[in-house]
Amino acid sequence: MEKIFEQIDNLFVNGVINGIISIVIAGIVLIAINKLLNKFIKKKWPDNYVLQKRIKKIILITIFLAIVCSEVKFLKSFATALLASGGIVAVVIGLASQEAAGNLINGAMIMAYKPYKIGDFIVVTGHNVRGTVIDISLRHSVIETLEKTQMIVPNDIMNKAIIENISQIEHVKANYLYIDISYESDIDQAIKVIQDLVVKHPLFIDGRKDKQDPLVPVIVSDLKDSSIQLRATITSEDNVQGFQMLADIRKDLVTEFKKEGIEIPYPHMHIVK
């Protein structure tokens, strides 16, 4: 029995008892650190902390395994290699210009600086991407479009692009309604019809800072070859409600313009015989 214990004792650098004590103490310390990091992560990233907790878990497990291996003689060299592998992180950061590594670095920057978060409605300028952010990982961001499809955009693109975060608008969202009428139509009556329809819509909100301004500003935005273009500024609570309101008003305008004798010009048509 003594020989067996002696053989086991010889497996550890400082003896089996000291080795086990060191491992237990290290485990207790890492558990305490884990709890502190969990609180910090939830406070720093209250909306999305799953990825951060996974990274934290991997790091702590790696440290614990390195400590265990360092106490065992024949695993000590492995522990050194395991700890030395931390240098790989520096290499990865140095290779951030490469696509894969760049996505990881840019993903970490997005999570740290939070230009957008899960649930935000964003527009990625120059890439024809608009929709609600439903997931953010180190590699990519997932955006659900208005058509209910999902677009997976690499973080390398997201971190470099100009992003319009509509969800972070403090008060209201301005939406623009463009409508063409014929030169023979009554412009003032057309403007009145538009304003009346907008004010009656349940999703419309008063977004004026100065109450002396028109409730629904309508201007002549262009004089075309065969039509006059009007532009109405319509305010809503957010982009989604604005999109719905514009769709409803366009539909109602067709009916109301017909009643008022206001003509919406047809496109030029060529008949080929």
Side-chain angles (χ1 to χ4, degrees), residues 102-119:
N103 284 331
L104 296 177
I105 302 303
N106 288 312
M109 293 179 67
I110 288 171
M111 291 179 179
Y113 293 102
K114 297 182 182 179
Y116 57 87
K117 61 183 184 296
I118 292 177

Side-chain angles (χ1 to χ4, degrees), residues 131-145:
T132 303
V133 180
I134 61 174
D135 189 26
I136 304 171
S137 70
L138 277 178
R139 181 190 175 278
H140 58 258
S141 298
V142 182
I143 301 171
E144 184 178 84
T145 67

Side-chain angles (χ1 to χ4, degrees), residues 54-261:
R54 287 177 182 172
I55 295 173
K56 176 263 307 177
K57 184 178 180 180
I58 292 172
I59 293 173
L60 292 182
I61 290 176
T62 302
I63 293 173
F64 182 72
L65 289 176
I67 292 172
V68 172
C69 292
S70 66
E71 291 295 328
V72 182
K73 288 181 179 179
F74 67 90
L75 293 177
K76 191 171 183 180
S77 59
F78 177 73
T80 304
L82 192 62
L83 291 173
S85 65
I88 296 174
V89 176
V91 176
V92 172
I93 294 175
L95 296 174
S97 58
Q98 295 185 5
E99 184 176 355
N103 284 331
L104 296 177
I105 302 303
N106 288 312
M109 293 179 67
I110 288 171
M111 291 179 179
Y113 293 102
K114 297 182 182 179
Y116 57 87
K117 61 183 184 296
I118 292 177
D120 284 356
F121 189 95
I122 64 173
V123 177
V124 185
T125 307
H127 294 278
N128 195 30
V129 176
R130 60 170 58 227
T132 303
V133 180
I134 61 174
D135 189 26
I136 304 171
S137 70
L138 277 178
R139 181 190 175 278
H140 58 258
S141 298
V142 182
I143 301 171
E144 184 178 84
T145 67
L146 294 173
E147 292 78 22
K148 298 301 180 183
T149 61
Q150 292 186 3
M151 300 193 72
I152 301 173
V153 187
N155 287 328
D156 185 46
I157 292 176
M158 296 296 290
N159 199 39
K160 294 176 182 177
I162 297 174
I163 297 175
E164 180 184 2
N165 192 332
I166 297 173
S167 295
Q168 292 186 4
I169 297 173
E170 294 182 358
H171 301 293
V172 295
K173 168 69 172 63
N175 310 277
Y176 297 108
L177 172 70
Y178 292 91
I179 187 75
D180 287 6
I181 63 174
S182 67
Y183 279 93
E184 292 77 17
S185 299
D186 187 333
I187 297 178
D188 293 332
Q189 184 62 24
I191 291 174
K192 184 177 183 304
V193 170
I194 294 171
Q195 291 174 331
D196 289 345
L197 284 176
V198 172
V199 172
K200 292 177 183 177
H201 198 284
L203 296 180
F204 171 73
I205 63 173
D206 185 355
R208 295 176 297 175
K209 293 182 178 179
D210 186 351
K211 297 303 180 182
Q212 300 299 320
D213 294 336
L215 185 59
V216 183
V218 182
I219 64 171
V220 176
S221 59
D222 195 10
L223 297 176
K224 299 182 178 180
D225 291 338
S226 58
S227 64
I228 300 170
Q229 185 180 74
L230 303 178
R231 189 194 77 180
T233 304
I234 306 172
T235 46
S236 62
E237 185 174 334
D238 54 41
N239 188 73
V240 176
Q241 291 188 9
F243 181 85
Q244 182 62 52
M245 182 164 54
L246 290 179
D248 294 341
I249 292 172
R250 290 190 190 99
K251 177 182 177 182
D252 293 339
L253 274 176
V254 175
T255 302
E256 293 300 317
F257 275 5
K258 284 183 179 179
K259 290 180 181 179
E260 299 294 333

